[in-house]
Amino acid sequence: MKKTFICILSIVFLLVGTLSVMALDDYDKSSSTKEQKNVEVKASEPTLKDVVDITSLNAQKEVVFNNLLNCIDYYNTVKGSFETSLIGDTPVAVAYEVDIPKQISYESVKGSNLDLEIFSHDGTITEVNKIKRNYHEERFIPQYDENTRKKQTTYIYEQVTLQPYYDYDHKDISSQRARKNISGDNEYFYRYDLTNTGYASNSIYPQNLVFGFMSELDYWNITAIEEYLNRQVLVVTGETSDSDYAKKLQTHTFEMRFDLKTGILLDFKGFSSNGILQQYLTTTSFSVDESNDELQEFINNRITQFKSEYEN
């Protein structure tokens, strides 16, 4: 009887052990299945270069051109940095952060003989020269109007209703801001720069480059959609149509990369007629529409610091 009881008990332990192993195995399989499901659920961002026809984009160059001239309508906040030859005789590094609705911005500009910090805040531009150890301020009237400015949410190659823009005859020229005057010279109508930046605007609102290189639609083409700094960009290549601009920058041909969602210029290369690189702008970091509630406090603290240091 005792042997029978021990035998039965052994069988019970064996069954419990087997069931435990089976349960653990089922849990592992269940966890594995859940992990697999989680992996499968994650969808990658659509890659436009696989679905957008470049030929069709080139058929609507005017749309792209006008949207690039209004790229400040495609974002509210932006932060980044770039290096460029467009500002001085030697390369310059620019770091920036901008909040258009709040009308505040920060720029750091550094070169071989240049070290500036520039702030826009409360209707004032404060420029600090860290080499000369001084600063100066000037007032400006903020032009942002949340009731009239409509933030665009499409890609820069899609047709949108443009922000009204009037010439000296009070005519809406929002779709013809580049034209020839009576003498046959190029005439460009610049929109107020809502970023209130003097250096960062070469990238985040590049009206000069767009006017100078792209106002003649026959001189450039959209050649690709690529990725740059994990952003999808529109690649534009062509020849310089504005002879004065070409002479000024010593640039005959060019290549640009514009962020597809904002129209911000992330990369620019200008070449001589011999194919030698003459001018460039290379973005090294970039983020858009990420709120920063500490920017105003940062600006206030920096200005207070510099004033205290340079006035004593």
Side-chain angles (χ1 to χ4, degrees), residues 19-269:
L19 289 173
S20 298
V21 171
M22 289 174 65
L24 288 172
D25 185 52
D26 288 341
Y27 175 79
D28 290 339
K29 286 181 180 178
S30 176
S31 299
S32 176
T33 302
K34 288 179 181 178
E35 290 175 0
Q36 289 176 4
K37 286 182 180 179
N38 288 336
V39 170
E40 290 171 359
V41 166
K42 293 179 181 178
S44 59
E45 183 182 352
T47 304
L48 290 177
K49 64 182 179 181
D50 296 329
V51 298
V52 176
D53 178 36
I54 298 299
T55 303
S56 65
L57 291 186
N58 279 295
Q60 52 195 55
K61 288 183 183 179
E62 189 171 358
V63 171
V64 172
F65 174 70
N66 284 317
N67 289 346
L68 291 176
L69 287 176
N70 292 280
C71 74
I72 48 174
D73 291 333
Y74 284 78
Y75 62 92
N76 282 331
T77 67
V78 63
K79 179 180 180 179
S81 59
F82 61 83
E83 298 177 357
T84 185
S85 63
L86 294 170
I87 294 174
D89 297 329
T90 58
V92 171
V94 177
Y96 60 85
E97 186 163 6
V98 174
D99 189 320
I100 291 178
K102 293 181 181 178
Q103 284 293 276
I104 56 176
S105 66
Y106 167 75
E107 296 176 275
S108 168
V109 185
K110 294 184 179 182
S112 58
N113 298 303
L114 193 65
D115 192 354
L116 306 174
E117 287 192 37
I118 307 164
F119 313 86
S120 68
H121 58 104
D122 305 315
T124 302
I125 300 290
T126 302
E127 180 175 306
V128 177
N129 190 317
K130 297 166 70 174
I131 294 177
K132 296 181 179 180
R133 296 182 59 79
N134 62 25
Y135 71 91
H136 75 269
E137 295 184 320
E138 61 183 62
R139 297 287 296 171
F140 72 95
I141 300 176
Q143 300 294 308
Y144 177 78
D145 186 345
E146 63 180 5
N147 296 317
T148 59
R149 175 183 179 262
K150 178 184 178 182
K151 184 177 182 293
Q152 307 290 0
T153 58
T154 62
Y155 290 101
I156 58 172
Y157 57 77
E158 296 180 88
Q159 183 74 58
V160 297
T161 300
L162 298 172
Q163 177 86 11
Y165 190 90
Y166 303 96
D167 65 5
Y168 32 71
D169 295 324
H170 305 291
K171 177 184 177 183
D172 183 4
I173 56 166
S174 55
S175 61
Q176 56 179 78
R177 284 170 50 198
R179 65 190 187 189
K180 300 286 186 181
N181 59 24
I182 298 177
S183 303
D185 298 322
N186 293 316
E187 193 172 40
Y188 304 143
F189 292 85
Y190 286 78
R191 182 176 165 186
Y192 183 87
D193 184 357
L194 294 176
T195 71
N196 300 309
T197 60
Y199 296 91
S201 57
N202 283 284
S203 169
I204 60 178
Y205 192 31
Q207 291 185 97
N208 279 333
L209 292 172
V210 175
F211 275 131
F213 289 112
M214 299 178 65
S215 57
E216 295 285 351
L217 304 184
D218 293 336
Y219 280 74
W220 57 272
N221 284 297
I222 299 167
T223 55
I225 292 177
E226 298 178 348
E227 285 198 4
Y228 186 93
L229 293 178
N230 295 320
R231 302 284 298 188
Q232 295 186 91
V233 295
L234 197 70
V235 182
V236 174
T237 61
E239 296 183 8
T240 311
S241 58
D242 188 320
S243 58
D244 292 334
Y245 209 67
K247 185 177 180 180
K248 177 183 177 181
L249 296 181
Q250 299 179 324
T251 297
H252 179 68
T253 60
F254 65 90
E255 182 177 288
M256 296 178 174
R257 286 172 174 80
F258 295 97
D259 182 62
L260 266 177
K261 288 295 292 182
T262 63
I264 289 174
L265 178 64
L266 297 182
D267 182 68
F268 165 73
K269 295 181 179 68

